[in-house]
Amino acid sequence: MSPDLKADAQFAFHQYQTGAVTDPYAVLDSHRLFAVELLCDGLVTGDDVRESVNGLIAVLNIVTDYRKSQPVNTVLSEEV
């Protein structure tokens, strides 16, 4: 896989993981657009794009599933 493609996928994931971008679909779309630009410029192959996008989807699925499974932090007040 192209170093540029790999770096962009890592950056996209980092943006989501740190909360800079809260929508996983926005992160994925941004990476897909970059990957297609590289493909159109002949810098990567279709297989590289597929591998990179599928890898990012897999990682985002793991993280979003983990976030969904975490309980919401709430403070329960007791009536006296």
Side-chain angles (χ1 to χ4, degrees), residues 4 12 21 27 36 46 48 53-54 60 66 72-73 80:
D4 289 336
V21 178
V27 170
V36 169
D48 289 337
V53 170
N54 286 340
L60 288 171
Y66 174 77
V72 176
N73 288 334
V80 180

Short mmCIF file of all heavy atoms in Angstrom, two decimals, residues 4 12 21 27 36 46 48 53-54 60 66 72-73 80:
data_model
loop_
_atom_site.label_atom_id
_atom_site.label_comp_id
_atom_site.label_asym_id
_atom_site.label_seq_id
_atom_site.Cartn_x
_atom_site.Cartn_y
_atom_site.Cartn_z
N ASP A 4 1.44 7.26 1.31
CA ASP A 4 0.50 8.39 1.41
C ASP A 4 -0.90 7.90 1.79
O ASP A 4 -1.57 8.52 2.61
CB ASP A 4 0.42 9.15 0.09
CG ASP A 4 1.68 9.94 -0.21
OD1 ASP A 4 2.42 10.27 0.74
OD2 ASP A 4 1.93 10.22 -1.39
N ALA A 12 -6.99 9.89 9.38
CA ALA A 12 -8.46 9.89 9.45
C ALA A 12 -8.93 9.19 10.72
O ALA A 12 -9.80 9.69 11.44
CB ALA A 12 -9.05 9.21 8.22
N VAL A 21 -13.23 14.86 14.79
CA VAL A 21 -14.36 14.61 13.90
C VAL A 21 -15.20 13.54 14.59
O VAL A 21 -14.70 12.48 14.93
CB VAL A 21 -13.90 14.11 12.52
CG1 VAL A 21 -15.09 13.81 11.63
CG2 VAL A 21 -12.98 15.12 11.86
N VAL A 27 -15.30 10.86 8.32
CA VAL A 27 -13.90 10.43 8.29
C VAL A 27 -13.67 9.49 7.11
O VAL A 27 -12.71 9.63 6.35
CB VAL A 27 -13.51 9.75 9.62
CG1 VAL A 27 -12.17 9.08 9.54
CG2 VAL A 27 -13.53 10.76 10.75
N VAL A 36 -9.32 8.09 -3.96
CA VAL A 36 -9.73 8.17 -5.37
C VAL A 36 -8.87 9.19 -6.12
O VAL A 36 -8.52 8.97 -7.29
CB VAL A 36 -11.24 8.50 -5.48
CG1 VAL A 36 -11.63 8.86 -6.91
CG2 VAL A 36 -12.07 7.33 -4.98
N GLY A 46 -6.24 0.12 -7.74
CA GLY A 46 -7.57 -0.11 -7.19
C GLY A 46 -7.52 -1.04 -5.99
O GLY A 46 -8.28 -0.87 -5.04
N ASP A 48 -5.08 -1.21 -3.85
CA ASP A 48 -4.60 -0.40 -2.72
C ASP A 48 -5.74 0.38 -2.10
O ASP A 48 -5.87 0.45 -0.87
CB ASP A 48 -3.52 0.58 -3.17
CG ASP A 48 -2.21 -0.08 -3.52
OD1 ASP A 48 -1.94 -1.20 -3.04
OD2 ASP A 48 -1.45 0.52 -4.30
N VAL A 53 -9.48 1.42 2.27
CA VAL A 53 -10.84 1.78 2.69
C VAL A 53 -11.45 0.67 3.55
O VAL A 53 -12.05 0.95 4.59
CB VAL A 53 -11.72 2.10 1.46
CG1 VAL A 53 -13.18 2.22 1.85
CG2 VAL A 53 -11.23 3.38 0.78
N ASN A 54 -11.30 -0.58 3.13
CA ASN A 54 -11.84 -1.68 3.93
C ASN A 54 -11.17 -1.77 5.31
O ASN A 54 -11.82 -2.08 6.30
CB ASN A 54 -11.69 -3.01 3.20
CG ASN A 54 -12.68 -3.14 2.05
OD1 ASN A 54 -13.69 -2.44 2.01
ND2 ASN A 54 -12.38 -4.01 1.12
N LEU A 60 -12.94 1.46 12.19
CA LEU A 60 -14.02 2.33 12.66
C LEU A 60 -15.18 1.51 13.24
O LEU A 60 -15.79 1.92 14.23
CB LEU A 60 -14.52 3.23 11.53
CG LEU A 60 -13.58 4.35 11.10
CD1 LEU A 60 -14.10 5.02 9.84
CD2 LEU A 60 -13.38 5.36 12.21
N TYR A 66 -17.36 -0.41 20.21
CA TYR A 66 -16.85 -0.29 21.58
C TYR A 66 -17.49 0.90 22.27
O TYR A 66 -17.91 0.80 23.42
CB TYR A 66 -15.32 -0.13 21.56
CG TYR A 66 -14.74 0.13 22.92
CD1 TYR A 66 -14.59 -0.91 23.84
CD2 TYR A 66 -14.33 1.40 23.30
CE1 TYR A 66 -14.07 -0.68 25.09
CE2 TYR A 66 -13.81 1.64 24.55
CZ TYR A 66 -13.67 0.60 25.45
OH TYR A 66 -13.16 0.83 26.69
N VAL A 72 -23.16 5.04 29.68
CA VAL A 72 -23.09 6.49 29.77
C VAL A 72 -22.79 6.84 31.21
O VAL A 72 -23.40 6.30 32.14
CB VAL A 72 -24.42 7.12 29.31
CG1 VAL A 72 -24.40 8.61 29.49
CG2 VAL A 72 -24.72 6.73 27.88
N ASN A 73 -21.89 7.76 31.42
CA ASN A 73 -21.57 8.20 32.79
C ASN A 73 -22.69 9.08 33.30
O ASN A 73 -22.92 10.17 32.78
CB ASN A 73 -20.24 8.97 32.82
CG ASN A 73 -19.06 8.07 32.62
OD1 ASN A 73 -19.12 6.90 32.92
ND2 ASN A 73 -17.99 8.64 32.10
N VAL A 80 -33.33 11.93 49.78
CA VAL A 80 -33.15 11.77 51.23
C VAL A 80 -34.44 11.91 51.95
O VAL A 80 -35.32 12.60 51.66
CB VAL A 80 -32.13 12.81 51.77
CG1 VAL A 80 -31.95 12.64 53.25
CG2 VAL A 80 -30.86 12.68 51.00
#
